[in-house]
Amino acid sequence: MLLNPSPVNTWFERISIMVILLNCVTLGMYQPCENIDCTSDRCQILQAFDAFIYIFFALEMVVKMVALGIFGRRCYLGDTWNRLDFFIVMAGMVEYSLDLQNINLSAIRTVRVLRPLKAINRVPSMRILVNLLLDTLPMLGNVLLLCFFVFFIFGIIGVQLWAGLLRNRCYLEENFTLSSGMTPPAPYYQPEENDERPFICSLASDNGIMSCADVPARREGGRTCCMDREDALHRQALGLSPEPLANGSGAGEAVGLCINWNQYYTRCHTGSGNPHKGAINFDNIVYAWIVIFQVITLEGWVEIMYYVMDAHSFYNFIYFILLIIIGSFFMINLCLVVIATQFSETKQREHQLMQEQRAQCLSSSTLASMAEPGDCYEEIFQLVCHVLRKAKRRSAALYYTLRGKPPPPGGGRGYRRGGGNVNGERHHSRHPKSEYLHSVYFAHILSIPISLASHCPHQSKQDHSSQPLANSISLPVPQNPEDCPICALSLKEGTRAVGDSANREEDNEDAVKETGKEENHLEERGDGERKRKRTCFGHCKDIWNDMRRKLWGIVESKYFSRGIMIAILINTISMGIEHHNQPEELTNVLEICNIVFTSMFTLEMVLKLTAFGFFEYLRNPYNIFDGIIVIISVCEIIGQADGGLSVLRTFRLLRVIKLVRFMPALRRQLVVLMKTMDNVATFCMLLMLFIFIFSILGMHIFGCKFSLKTEAGDTVPDRKNFDSLLWAIVTVFQILTQEDWNMVLYNGMASTSPFAALYFVALMTFGNYVLFNLLVAILVEGFQAEGDANRSYSDDDRSSCNFEENDKQKDSLHLSGIKCPYKPDWCESREDWSVFLFSPRNKFRQICQSIIAHKLFDYVVLAFIFSNCITVALERPKILQGSLERVFLTISNYIFTAIFVSEMTLKVVSMGLYVGEQAYLRSSWNILDGFLVFVSLIDIVVSMAGGAKILGVLRVLRLLRTLRPLRVISRAPGLKLVVETLITSLKPIGNIVLICCAFFIIFGILGVQLFKGKFFYCFGPDVKNITNKSDCLQASYKWVHHKYNFDNLGQALMSLFVLASKDGWVNIMYHGLDAVAVDQQPVTNNNPWMLLYFISFLLIVSFFVLNMFVGVVVENFHKCRQHQEVEEAKRREEKRQRRMEKKRRKAQKLPYFASYGNIRLMIHTLCTNHYLDLIITFIICINVITMSLEHFNQPHSLDLALKYCNYFFTSMFVLESVLKLIAFGFRRFFKERWNQLDLAIVLLSVMGITLEEIEISAALPINPTIIRIMRVLRIARVLKLLKMATGMRALLDTVVQALPQVGNLGLLFMLLFFIYAALGVELFGELVCNEDYPCEGMSRHATFENFGMAFLTLFQVSTGDNWNGIMKDTLRECPPDHSTDVDYACNPSLQFISPMYFVSFVLTAQFVLINVVVAVLMKHLDDSNKEAQEEAEMDAEIELELAQGTLCCMGAPSCGGGRVEKGLVAAGPGGTCAPCSCVMKINMNFDQTQYHWIINNLDQYLGQKKRNGDIPTFEFSLWLPVSLLLFTQYQCISSCRENYIFDSQTERI
């Protein structure tokens, strides 16, 4: 029945792919706002298409089923992809059958969305990536389980502590009444109309931050209201309106004559609604999970934390910070680590398969079969050259036949006969030596002087990294150079030339290698030499060749390339100068510059073309890139004359990329990027498919449902919506970048149902934590593969570096030798004196040395450093000048400075300042110290002189002392490794920063050209009818610009950094989409094409380039670890030996339960039984479910049920612990950690129950918080589950092993935070946030007022939640009039300091340090995998030893014993040794209990029992358990197929 697959395959698959693409188009044309009842023609057509596509898929399925069969391994349903197809077809069938019954089930219809998935199977590279993701599923499953744990534990804690608390609102007083004429205020206080961000108060029983007394006064028209209810009643009695504002008279507004209703909201009470349309609460476990998921994604978590702090207690921040550290920094990075580890393994596996296949496919005869293929461009280039040559030969042959002449002997086909295939040709081109032979050989045949063929100035400049050269002429070259005399002669020279070329490689990296024109002119020379006479034409040709050779030299010289590089730099600067409102002259100058630079680059191109010839020029891909840019620039200049083509200006920017040619290190990073390009392209396809599917699903679920109410009261769709395919894709992309995705979630839950959260969670989990981590894995793998390849080179480099260093040292010795005579005599005589004052025998110096050498010295200094840190942390700007606190801080500052000065003096006196090996300034840490001491002294001098305020910032430099602990840490190898990693990765990270900068500059300049001057808008109460700046100013509103804009390159780079950090990028994108023109009021979605700019920037820079950070840090971490690997391997081996010994001893000992009585033995058997563990696990699972059933306002019956459940579970756990105590005994019970945990859980549960009972019976007054805490601590029971889940335990072990190093990182983090927090208090401590100066990121919770708050705020910045809002607040412009009564501290220098402060902090915290966590986790995951393997090997080894040592026929020759001991007979016929039936005989000389134990156990293990006189003998056909075999009190003998009675007098085993 099987059809021949090959012809069907191709066209059938192609048609199938076409239909899938067609289906994607029809799915994308769905319009949720119009296709509600499907009456339009368009909708009908789409439905018809849909039916056709469904029929096609169904037919395809039937055909495949008929062809392959249905069930079975090789059959249709044996393949996973086919099962997916089958499922889609079946779902379609259900949908159509329901349609016939007129039941419209939209859930079934959404299955159509899965149809594009069929495309994955049709694209092989995509299938490999998807299979790879499926490979990681088992490990990812463990990570998910671990996440599930975290979710359960934190969820239950949240519900126990905060159920219903976020509903608290401030209500009016109990007996609040109004007379009939007045309009009563709202029932509870609402800061905004829509109650999005409510005012949450703290009940009397809790001690939250906010109480109803904190409700602010009501404001109208910018003034605080100052009337109360009595005034209103009085006015009413007088017959006036209760509020003057009601008449609209301006008088009332000016004085603030309105009623301050807010003073009556005094009663805090639990209300009905939760914040954010009811989406944020801890009322039950499911809502708690939604909140926890949102916190782990780090978007909007701060707001939730503030709500909880307001309602419950300030210290709730501990919960959130723990959740973020465990959830975000560990779990999410574990996902990445698992995917990356798995990716590199799978990649290696695939690579090996490929190599094997290639080895089989290619014939072994040609050498080329093992050569790696070149890159894509190279191969295409060679193919084109080949085709052109063929065409040339054919046309020449045709020409000769038409003229009726015989073709010349040199040309034509015969030339090629001996040269063999293209492979051989390529092989020659790969090896410089053979290429050299080629040129020598054919130069000889064509009688050209050898020097021309092989020693062209460019010929020896072979660049190995570059493309292979297709040889112009292939001649019958002898395979062995000795066969050809000339070859043999010049072989030596050739090798030398190649050697030189390798040395010179550095200068002319991009040297182009060999003239493609050579082919033409060599051929011409070849046939022309014999008959050509010295004509004018010949002279011209010689001159031309001469000129070309000279040109070649010029173009190849390093001065030429440097000149071009400088030109590119200046051109970049000239493009970057452009800005908004620039003077006319500058515009003209820039235009002229552009023409000048374009002509320069054109000249460069012409020169290169002349020197290299057309083919040779094209051979280098960089040249093609240059050429395209030049052509576009010329077109643009010509186009400008006609007044158009501004689009082409953007291509000028690509000149910046030309710089890469001149920087080898950068080129290396780019090469890595290019190598991963194929995988990344596949990844992009996968990502697009993913986004497409989720967009269409979103359109089906949320289409046309998101709407907003404007101030005017109309309803407009929210900007983040699913109303069309374009906006659905943008919204999905936005959710993937994690920016403001929580707002979309709240909208979705409010407009459909709370189950909508599933869509968003699935999108985030698969998109962010699986797909994007796959991208990082691809990059990390690229860097590691590249790193491994580079290691071999770097060792050589290192040796050469050492030579250079030695040379340098020699030079310096020579120099010092020269300088010696000029030293005064006393200098020489006092060479070893400290500071030329203290001789080595000086008493004072010896005392100093003994002090420093004392072991406590460092600790004392550390203690002072820490106490200094504390005083630094106490600093804040608002301390009054004469107060006690200020005096204390000033005096302590003097004291610490004195202490550090004296420490420095001691060190300088004892070690010398600069001269000598051990001198003070020879250590970089000491230089740092000295610098800090110097700064402190300057600071004191300035403060005594009453200096300017800015020198207060100098005090911050003293904070750098906090880096001092690094010195102590450098003695801890773990942290030393981390710090070394960071320092060594600075250089490669620098390279990536350079690549980033290139992209930033390109996009920055492009942004300036697109948006300069367009980010202004009119700020006022009603701007509906305003179209431009003049309208705005006429209406006396303000014409202001957005904080993040593109008016000049600096602003553009700032905005792009915010975009790249993915925080707040959506708003910048909206401003860009709305921009109309300079001085025009923005219009919503004016230019949707601008989406391309923002999204391409995010994809290229945020996802791609910034993820290279991870690759670089991980790669460097591995490099640093290689030095430590050897020691670690030794340590591991020793550890392994020790463990092995321990296991052997354990195996030989008498088991501890040998002396137990019957009942205790039975209990022991029960406790060690696997089924007991399973039962307990089941009980715990049910217990966890019952604990998570608790919710807000639960009925009393559920309370009772849960209480009895708790009693039952507690009693079960108590029973388990008691049994285990009996079975194992005290010592052995407490030896195991799990048992300790069990006991702790039992004690806590019992205590909790007792306290609850006491409270109910009211015997003692007990604080309810204690009971709450007791209930929360029950959650520890969940941890018992870890005992069972082995895969998860392995992951946890990884995390636990990584903890010491992550602890070191934590210390580094703390240092970083400490320094920045103190700096922040110093810089931003006085920023005000109030009604007059509203803030976007700062609030009463996030400030820099004191050190503690600054620390919390910085934690928020490091998680990237709304840090751009905080930075916006610090970028405030100073108000024009300083006469305002508000004390508004304003520092103009913040405009420059603030971006530097935040950008540097975000870079270090978010991009570098977090990635070191990834590196550490990756390394430990590898280690724990290795350890697990070793463990298994050890067990196997011991089993083997035991099996050989005791269960083999002892002494039987064939078993390796070699000698027969007394009482032992060789085994069986032929001496074979098989574990068959054995006889065991036991000595009777031990006490009764042991005897009973042995009898019982043997019976239990061995089955039937025989008594042979009074000596028990057992027959069995089993391997005995280890513990029984190695009893020293009895002897055993095994024999094969025969039973021997063993003499009881034999030796002990």
Side-chain angles (χ1 to χ4, degrees), residues 1260-1322:
L1260 289 167
I1262 286 176
N1263 187 346
T1265 321
I1266 295 179
I1267 289 176
R1268 229 189 215 174
I1269 288 172
M1270 279 312 207
R1271 297 180 61 162
V1272 165
L1273 286 176
R1274 279 191 222 155
I1275 295 161
R1277 294 175 190 173
V1278 184
L1279 297 176
K1280 290 178 68 155
L1281 285 177
L1282 286 178
K1283 193 172 169 184
M1284 298 300 295
T1286 42
M1288 218 154 98
R1289 266 225 316 279
L1291 268 186
L1292 262 186
D1293 287 346
T1294 302
V1295 174
V1296 170
Q1297 283 174 352
L1299 277 182
Q1301 282 212 312
V1302 174
N1304 296 331
L1305 269 180
L1307 270 175
L1308 266 183
F1309 258 112
M1310 292 299 278
L1311 281 175
L1312 182 77
F1313 275 60
F1314 191 95
I1315 292 169
Y1316 273 92
L1319 253 173
V1321 172
E1322 197 65 59

Side-chain angles (χ1 to χ4, degrees), residues 135 173 315 435 572 626 828 895 913-914 986 1125 1203 1258 1303 1347:
D135 277 353
E173 301 155 346
Y315 294 104
E435 184 161 304
T572 309
D626 287 358
E828 282 198 359
I895 293 171
L913 185 65
Y914 187 71
L986 280 183
E1125 286 283 86
K1203 188 173 163 184
F1347 187 77

Side-chain angles (χ1 to χ4, degrees), residues 1469-1523:
T1472 52
C1473 175
C1476 41
S1477 74
C1478 293
V1479 171
M1480 171 162 285
K1481 210 175 72 175
I1482 292 175
N1483 260 347
M1484 291 299 290
N1485 52 3
F1486 31 87
D1487 62 303
Q1488 205 59 29
T1489 53
Q1490 286 174 327
Y1491 172 69
H1492 273 302
W1493 183 84
I1494 289 164
I1495 298 291
N1496 288 334
N1497 274 284
L1498 283 175
D1499 194 22
Q1500 177 189 333
Y1501 280 117
L1502 314 176
Q1504 31 150 339
K1505 173 164 57 166
K1506 279 189 196 167
R1507 290 205 168 272
N1508 215 357
D1510 56 356
I1511 296 176
T1513 308
F1514 307 104
E1515 284 193 2
F1516 58 94
S1517 313
L1518 290 165
W1519 294 92
L1520 282 176
V1522 170
S1523 49

